[in-house]
Amino acid sequence: MKQADGTVAPPTGPWREQPACLKSGRAASVLILCVKGYKESAMAAEAAQTCYEGSTVQSFQFYLEHSGEHAAILGSLDNILPGEFKRIGAGESSLDVLGVGSGGGEVDVQILSLLQSAVPGVPINAHIVEGSSKLTNNFKVLVAKTGSLQIPFVWHILGSEGYMRQVMAKEDKKKFNFIHMIQMLYYVNDLGQTIKFYHSLLKNNGRLMIIIEAASGGWDILWNTFKKELWSEVIPEYRSSREIVALLNSQGLKYDEHVIPNTFDITECFDPSSVTGGRLLNFMTAKDNFHQAFTPEIKAAMLDLLRNKCSTEKDGRVYFNSNLRCILVHA
């Protein structure tokens, strides 16, 4: 329920059931059918903010259910964040969190639950920046179901660059103890300016957490091998942890880097009659129909690359390397 100040009151009532996405896993990744583009939000330019609506949400959910990416992220964050949160929260009378490109909130809810457990009794306020109204509504439903989460929310239904413009127009800029950007930096027009801006919103002793596909992982190899065929106006250049780390180094920022291992089964991608395989290929190449979008030669080359350079085989199954990196940038 909205309060007079525009925030959402903390939910009441018992925890009913852990969301299915937290049990089976869901990816924090980012597509208009754009690979990382479906993932975690509609955050590119303002014109792309509706890419995460309608059938796109369904395609995104299909990928998440199949890949187990969110489960991999959540499992790693369970190990990485508690210690960080205790350090960030030491001596603080309250904590402010900003989620940028939060999608349906599955990862955010877990992050906020970990923070709440790490600093019991310390009030927490959450601001959410998400360009998709559909996913924001999903997030609100999830919060309402999570009775253990006693945190007020402020919702900003706009893209990351829209939020930047809004904040820069104000004299008094709100600062945060913890900011996270999970699988959304594929969309921003100016990567350096985006990271510089959000880093400037950190309070002393705060952290900016970036989760993105790993350099030399399957996504990185696929999208950089077939730049001509895959890069588009939505994702004009593919970015992995390689570009993020290089930029952080150029800006002189201190950071810690953690591996988030993940693979998922793409065996059915090599069966042209498989509906599941076709839907995965559509998502992975950001096309409406993989089998119609490319020439026979390009399709064959992509499938060969997916099998032999982007994946490993075990017991007759093909597992795509979808490793990620969690980068914690110091204030």
Side-chain angles (χ1 to χ4, degrees):
M1 178 180 294
K2 272 194 176 179
Q3 303 180 116
D5 62 358
T7 63
V8 175
T12 57
W15 167 264
R16 291 194 284 277
E17 183 180 6
Q18 186 182 30
C21 57
L22 296 183
K23 295 188 228 176
S24 61
R26 173 195 179 282
S29 300
V30 227
L31 270 209
I32 287 177
L33 248 112
C34 40
V35 32
K36 307 289 96 179
Y38 266 162
K39 299 182 141 196
E40 210 43 80
S41 73
M43 298 296 296
E46 297 303 313
Q49 284 185 15
T50 58
C51 80
Y52 223 2
E53 305 289 352
S55 61
T56 307
V57 174
Q58 297 175 2
S59 297
F60 177 42
Q61 294 297 338
F62 168 80
Y63 168 77
L64 297 183
E65 291 165 7
H66 190 87
S67 69
E69 189 174 278
H70 271 181
I73 290 174
L74 293 174
S76 293
L77 294 186
D78 282 346
N79 295 320
I80 297 168
L81 290 182
E84 288 288 336
F85 285 158
K86 288 179 182 178
R87 185 193 54 73
I88 292 171
E92 297 287 344
S93 59
S94 65
L95 292 169
D96 294 293
V97 177
L98 175 64
V100 186
S102 292
E106 294 86 351
V107 175
D108 291 59
V109 165
Q110 182 70 1
I111 289 172
L112 291 168
S113 296
L114 288 172
L115 178 57
Q116 193 171 251
S117 297
V119 289
V122 177
I124 300 167
N125 302 292
H127 285 242
I128 305 299
V129 175
E130 169 54 53
S132 168
S133 57
K134 170 64 175 175
L135 290 176
T136 300
N137 288 335
N138 290 350
F139 194 154
K140 292 178 180 179
V141 170
L142 181 58
V143 169
K145 291 180 178 178
T146 312
S148 60
L149 200 62
Q150 299 298 310
I151 295 173
F153 285 78
V154 178
W155 309 95
H156 305 272
I157 306 178
L158 71 173
S160 66
E161 288 161 339
Y163 182 77
M164 287 172 60
R165 288 193 294 271
Q166 186 182 87
V167 171
M168 287 189 290
K170 301 177 181 178
E171 291 186 11
D172 185 19
K173 297 177 176 61
K174 183 172 180 58
K175 299 294 185 86
F176 298 89
N177 303 91
F178 185 72
I179 301 172
H180 60 82
M181 310 175 82
I182 301 174
Q183 292 287 47
M184 53 70 59
L185 285 174
Y186 310 97
Y187 301 104
V188 300
N189 291 324
D190 190 328
L191 180 63
Q193 184 60 32
T194 299
I195 290 179
K196 183 178 181 180
F197 168 78
Y198 283 101
H199 182 264
S200 75
L201 298 184
L202 287 175
K203 296 181 182 181
N204 292 337
N205 207 35
R207 290 291 184 269
L208 167 63
M209 183 178 77
I210 297 169
I211 294 181
I212 196 161
E213 299 298 337
S216 302
W219 293 106
D220 191 31
I221 294 170
L222 174 64
W223 276 68
N224 279 308
T225 301
F226 291 97
K227 292 180 181 180
K228 179 182 177 182
E229 292 80 11
L230 299 180
W231 290 20
S232 66
E233 291 183 1
V234 177
I235 300 184
E237 69 173 299
Y238 180 77
R239 294 161 180 161
S240 70
S241 61
R242 180 190 302 107
E243 287 72 30
I244 305 303
V245 166
L247 192 145
L248 294 174
N249 288 333
S250 72
Q251 293 187 2
L253 298 176
K254 184 180 178 181
Y255 61 89
D256 305 308
E257 191 173 2
H258 303 270
V259 177
I260 300 178
N262 189 47
T263 62
F264 63 92
D265 192 337
I266 62 166
T267 307
E268 292 193 51
C269 291
F270 304 97
D271 177 0
S273 66
S274 169
V275 174
T276 295
R279 292 181 70 182
L280 281 174
L281 288 168
N282 295 347
F283 182 86
M284 295 171 76
T285 59
K287 301 299 180 185
D288 292 316
N289 190 318
F290 169 82
H291 293 292
Q292 295 179 6
F294 305 106
T295 66
E297 293 77 15
I298 293 297
K299 282 193 296 182
M302 283 186 178
L303 289 170
D304 180 73
L305 185 83
L306 285 171
R307 181 186 288 273
N308 296 307
K309 300 294 184 181
C310 302
S311 308
T312 55
E313 293 195 38
K314 182 179 180 181
D315 300 327
R317 310 296 296 181
V318 181
Y319 294 93
F320 184 77
N321 175 356
S322 189
N323 289 344
L324 303 105
R325 292 292 185 271
C326 172
I327 303 169
L328 288 167
V329 188
H330 297 219

